[in-house]
Amino acid sequence: VELPREALSALARGEELPLKRDVENGYVILTLDGEPLGLGLLIDGMLRSQIPRSELRFFLIRPGEHAAHSFRFEKEEPCL
């Protein structure tokens, strides 16, 4: 199932999305821009992501945007 970026944002927030396709209940492969992201679960026309939210947020980075600008990193302590 090809996802528009807006749908990916909703799934990252934990929302279920209606899917109006002739697909049986069960697991489906979710893609973005033709690239596989992971699995979704379709039950009675509602799509639920099975991808951890932390991984979905990674895919929400806009093309050309650097990950460091989108996420906060904690300062690392030196290893001894």
Side-chain angles (χ1 to χ4, degrees), residues 7-50:
L8 187 63
S9 297
L11 290 174
R13 291 189 302 270
E15 298 176 21
E16 293 183 356
L17 301 175
L19 185 66
K20 294 180 172 52
R21 294 191 184 174
D22 189 22
V23 180
E24 293 182 25
N25 287 341
Y27 290 98
V28 295
I29 297 173
L30 303 177
T31 62
L32 178 68
D33 299 328
E35 296 293 322
L37 298 175
L39 293 178
L41 181 58
L42 181 65
I43 299 176
D44 298 327
M46 295 301 289
L47 179 64
R48 184 180 310 160
S49 174
Q50 300 298 293

